[in-house]
Amino acid sequence: IGYVQTESMAYLILVKKVKSNQLLLEQQKINTVIEAEWIEIKLSFPFSSNKEIQNNLKTMQEFPIEEFHFYCESYDITRTFPSTNSYLNYDEEFCWNDWLAEPFAKIGKREWCVVLLQGVAVSEVIDLGSQTIYMSLIARKSRINPGTRYQARGLNDQGGPGNEYECEIIMWSK
């Protein structure tokens, strides 16, 4: 998921367990995070970190990643289907771990961190006897203006609504 440093500690955040769905036409697997782990690394040479990093870290540690976040390692699911973009050319509005992946991007290894989305991704197979229909639902939450009900209401300074979700249903048959 990513890496972050504070004054005397570094944290590597890993996905330990996922639930996979074959969700899209090209048989792309979307993984829902079931278990994540924060690995603490004590730094030998402390450095100064800014208050924003410490606040973001504290918020991220308190927020449950499990069951509420998903990713696809081979397809861009930050945009509506069908996306012609590479999964590494994602829409930053829906990437919740962008700041945690920044240290990897700085050394040219952004692909080592998945593009983590918040929301839900589920799929169902509907057997109608003579025909089988496949249905997928993807609901992704924007990270632009998130917050609790009372703190993220209305529009922000850029005109983005509070707690915006983008939802799509994709249906096909073979």
Side-chain angles (χ1 to χ4, degrees):
I1 295 175
Y3 175 86
V4 66
Q5 287 180 305
T6 62
E7 292 168 351
S8 62
M9 295 291 288
Y11 298 88
L12 183 63
I13 305 97
L14 303 174
V15 174
K16 286 184 69 175
K17 186 176 178 185
V18 298
K19 178 176 72 176
S20 293
N21 287 316
Q22 284 194 314
L23 211 58
L24 301 173
L25 291 171
E26 293 85 21
Q27 303 302 311
Q28 306 295 335
K29 285 188 180 180
I30 295 182
N31 300 304
T32 299
V33 177
I34 301 299
E35 186 179 346
E37 181 178 6
W38 290 78
I39 298 174
E40 291 185 0
I41 304 164
K42 187 164 178 62
L43 299 176
S44 300
F45 302 100
F47 79 107
S48 63
S49 65
N50 66 39
K51 194 77 167 165
E52 183 181 0
I53 289 175
Q54 291 176 355
N55 288 338
N56 284 346
L57 176 63
K58 185 174 187 237
T59 301
M60 189 76 170
Q61 286 177 319
E62 292 172 355
F63 190 81
I65 296 173
E66 293 84 356
E67 302 287 342
F68 297 107
H69 292 81
F70 60 97
Y71 64 92
C72 182
E73 294 177 300
S74 57
Y75 191 79
D76 176 26
I77 55 173
T78 62
R79 293 180 175 86
T80 55
F81 184 82
S83 174
T84 57
N85 291 302
S86 159
Y87 69 98
L88 291 174
N89 184 20
Y90 54 91
D91 183 348
E92 293 177 5
E93 178 179 356
F94 296 103
C95 180
W96 282 76
N97 65 323
D98 217 22
W99 69 280
L100 291 168
E102 193 174 304
F104 293 94
K106 285 181 180 176
I107 61 168
K109 299 295 180 187
R110 174 60 179 92
E111 69 275 8
W112 288 5
C113 296
V114 297
V115 176
L116 195 67
L117 288 82
Q118 188 180 98
V120 66
V122 294
S123 61
E124 289 292 327
V125 178
I126 303 165
D127 186 5
L128 300 175
S130 63
Q131 187 178 20
T132 302
I133 296 177
Y134 301 85
M135 183 176 76
S136 296
L137 167 70
I138 300 174
R140 48 192 159 259
K141 185 176 181 180
S142 170
R143 67 175 182 82
I144 302 298
N145 193 15
T148 62
R149 179 176 166 193
Y150 298 104
Q151 293 177 343
R153 285 186 165 180
L155 301 176
N156 63 13
D157 294 340
Q158 292 80 38
N163 293 313
E164 177 183 14
Y165 275 86
E166 182 177 283
C167 302
E168 62 183 318
I169 296 175
I170 306 159
M171 298 179 74
W172 70 96
S173 66
K174 291 184 180 180

